[in-house]
Amino acid sequence: DLLRPLDAATPEPSAGTGEDRETDLARLEGALRTALVFETSPELVGSLLRLTGAISANEDLIALVGGFIIRPQLTTRERQAAIEAYGAIVGRVGITDEYRNILTQLIQSPDEQVRFAAAGALASTKDPASFVILSERLLDPSETPAMRERLLRQLAKRKAIGTVENLLKYAMTKREDEFGLYRSVLEKNINGDVEMRFVAIKTMLERSDWELAWRLDSGLSAFDPAGEL
């Protein structure tokens, strides 16, 4: 090979067919399943869970991954990996009421680290109802500042009009970073909905949030009756 002429064509490796890639993925998922069943090291289990969450769209793995969430031997870090992998796989497979209810229970956990992971898992489902659950949690007065920021960042990932009612009820703190994040999330979710924008402007004026009211009003002035902004 070292003596090959410089102008000789070098064949490119075959990318394989879609069927070949599916077979490779199935083999990898099978290997991950076996490893998760027999591995006892919490650190390795966490790595396996993260890899499973990154690649799998196999509904059969949801129950297996979900079992790690309640396994008492796991550390918080590995439990978080299980929760996030659970949400990622559910997001690819398609959410059901059963899966959503499990994540809803987790977002209400007294353990903040569990809630932190559950917020990401709910957002990974890409399910509008899951985003409403996130917005409902935002209204809990006992929630910590770090968790409120986490919830807002997850809400920023996807537009879900059903979250607006809860967002308008949210009593912000004086933290400027949270203030700006909240404004971005709210504007993203009401973009294009004129009636909801009117309601939001009224709410902001009642709160004396003149800046956000002005920004929302500017969006209204650019509204096109044909449905485009």
Side-chain angles (χ1 to χ4, degrees), residues 51-64:
L51 179 55
T52 302
I55 68 165
S56 182
N58 188 335
E59 187 168 12
D60 293 339
L61 284 172
I62 293 177
L64 176 62

Side-chain angles (χ1 to χ4, degrees), residues 22 26 47 58 71 85 91 100 106 115 118 122 125 128-129 133 143 147 161 167-168 182 209 223 225:
E22 289 178 5
S47 297
N58 188 335
R71 182 173 291 192
R100 189 186 300 109
L106 292 170
R115 298 198 306 276
L122 280 164
T125 67
I133 293 167
E143 200 51 275
M147 191 61 202
I161 195 67
L167 286 170
L168 291 175
Y182 167 77
D209 187 347
F223 179 73

Side-chain angles (χ1 to χ4, degrees), residues 200-220:
I201 291 172
K202 182 176 182 293
T203 302
M204 293 305 112
L205 290 174
E206 290 171 351
R207 283 188 186 179
S208 299
D209 187 347
W210 316 115
E211 180 187 349
L212 184 52
W214 175 80
R215 288 169 68 174
L216 294 172
D217 185 52
S218 297
L220 267 180

Side-chain angles (χ1 to χ4, degrees), residues 140-153:
D140 190 317
S142 67
E143 200 51 275
T144 65
M147 191 61 202
R148 286 197 296 268
E149 180 176 343
R150 170 72 167 173
L151 290 164
L152 285 169
R153 291 194 181 281

